[in-house]
Amino acid sequence: MSLEIRSPKYERASITIPSEVADLQKSFNGTICSNKGDEYEISDNIIDLLGDESSEMTWAQSSNHWKVTAAVYEDIWRKRSLSILTGEEFPIQKEQELLKNWLNPQANKLYMDIGCSTALYGRLVKKEQQQCDIVSLDFSRQMLEEARLKAEAEQISLYLLRSDARQMPFFGATFDGLMMGGTLNELTDPLKVLYEARRVIKKDGTFFMMHLVKSPTWYIRLMQDSAGLGGLTFWTIEDSNQMFERAGFSVTDQFTKGIVCFTKLVPA
């Protein structure tokens, strides 16, 4: 199906994205616009709502714009990171199992991967339920380009959207489900992104969240404090849950291993 988004400039103006844009087996290039006349480019199937617009970023965020980061993120770092962060063997299949079970994707439903990086979550959900539609959103063009290559190789259809999660280009109650994997710790304004997530999710939707929490071990906490200089933030489980509740979500399930926390959220 086609995708309707909200104009980044005019809150009541809509823009229709043709379904062909999600077919990553065929290159799609062109321009889209709202009835107010604001235009945005689609290049190699990536819907770019930011253009040359730039904003102040932390080191952690700016590193996502490096080609080398996008190239090694999933195949080298992402597949090993959970074992490194939990301090024991933690196969990525366990994460995938939680994602599929908690999100429970359904046919003809719409889901969004927020801060998608290489669209790992979006691709997994699409493999689980081929009849759903996925929006993979990130502000890094380099990450979205890598996501396109991986999805194309796996013959998976996705809408790849370059946008700012603090101002999601969607009308309220658009999505049946949301997912976010590790992005929360990098955000400069996590509460604002969570408020936006609450706005665009349907009242019966599910939000799958993976983020890192403060370690109870003092020497690991020292390293986390140092990482804070690069823009990473860590919360206790209690503090993160309070933040979720403040944004309008309820925690219905949670699984923690080391400093890795998986949370199932629903609108309160």
Side-chain angles (χ1 to χ4, degrees):
M1 67 174 186
S2 60
L3 176 70
E4 183 182 51
I5 67 174
R6 188 180 72 176
S7 165
K9 293 184 178 180
Y10 305 100
E11 289 191 355
R12 296 187 179 182
S14 64
I15 302 173
T16 299
I17 311 296
S19 59
E20 290 81 3
V21 176
D23 183 0
L24 304 181
Q25 303 303 306
K26 301 176 183 178
S27 180
F28 191 106
N29 298 280
T31 302
I32 51 174
C33 65
S34 75
N35 56 6
K36 294 288 189 179
D38 50 321
E39 298 184 349
Y40 307 93
E41 181 182 4
I42 300 177
S43 178
D44 286 333
N45 303 75
I46 297 174
I47 308 156
D48 192 347
L49 300 185
L50 296 179
D52 296 328
E53 178 183 330
S54 62
S55 59
E56 185 177 346
M57 290 180 288
T58 65
W59 182 89
Q61 289 177 313
S62 63
S63 67
N64 289 317
H65 292 270
W66 303 343
K67 252 189 189 312
V68 65
T69 304
V72 305
Y73 170 76
E74 184 175 325
D75 296 329
I76 296 179
W77 165 247
R78 196 62 175 78
K79 290 182 178 179
R80 296 170 174 79
S81 62
L82 295 188
S83 295
I84 294 170
L85 295 168
T86 58
E88 58 186 82
E89 186 63 27
F90 194 102
I92 198 169
Q93 289 78 10
K94 176 63 176 177
E95 179 182 16
Q96 296 171 358
E97 177 187 327
L98 286 170
L99 172 64
K100 290 184 288 188
N101 289 344
W102 286 358
L103 195 65
N104 189 25
Q106 302 292 311
N108 304 315
K109 302 290 188 179
L110 181 62
Y111 302 90
M112 178 164 58
D113 185 358
I114 304 169
C116 68
S117 298
T118 57
L120 174 63
Y121 277 5
R123 287 162 31 227
L124 288 171
V125 170
K126 187 69 173 182
K127 288 177 187 175
E128 178 72 8
Q129 175 51 260
Q130 296 183 10
Q131 300 306 311
C132 72
D133 288 289
I134 306 288
V135 175
S136 292
L137 180 151
D138 205 284
F139 64 73
S140 167
R141 182 167 188 88
Q142 286 72 23
M143 284 292 188
L144 290 172
E145 287 174 351
E146 190 69 21
R148 187 193 189 287
L149 292 174
K150 291 184 179 300
E152 181 183 10
E154 296 169 358
Q155 299 187 344
I156 288 174
S157 297
L158 301 170
Y159 287 102
L160 299 173
L161 181 63
R162 182 168 178 253
S163 181
D164 189 333
R166 292 172 298 184
Q167 296 175 306
M168 295 185 194
F170 298 100
F171 295 101
T174 292
F175 291 93
D176 298 282
L178 304 171
M179 45 197 143
M180 181 186 289
T183 298
L184 190 72
N185 300 89
E186 299 181 5
L187 298 174
T188 55
D189 196 346
L191 191 57
K192 185 170 179 57
V193 173
L194 290 172
Y195 278 135
E196 279 291 273
R198 178 62 182 85
R199 182 181 64 80
V200 301
I201 194 172
K202 294 179 180 178
K203 63 180 181 180
D204 59 349
T206 299
F207 189 178
F208 178 90
M209 170 73 68
M210 186 277 274
H211 73 287
L212 307 179
V213 296
K214 280 188 176 180
S215 173
T217 308
W218 69 268
Y219 57 87
I220 296 179
R221 187 168 288 193
L222 281 178
M223 290 189 288
Q224 289 182 325
D225 290 342
S226 298
L229 299 174
L232 294 177
T233 305
F234 303 89
W235 305 269
T236 64
I237 294 175
E238 293 76 14
D239 287 344
S240 59
N241 287 350
Q242 286 179 9
M243 182 168 58
F244 298 147
E245 292 170 5
R246 183 178 173 188
F249 289 99
S250 294
V251 176
T252 61
D253 212 338
Q254 205 155 44
F255 175 81
T256 306
K257 195 79 167 176
I259 65 169
V260 180
C261 183
F262 299 93
T263 303
K264 180 180 179 182
L265 301 168
V266 298

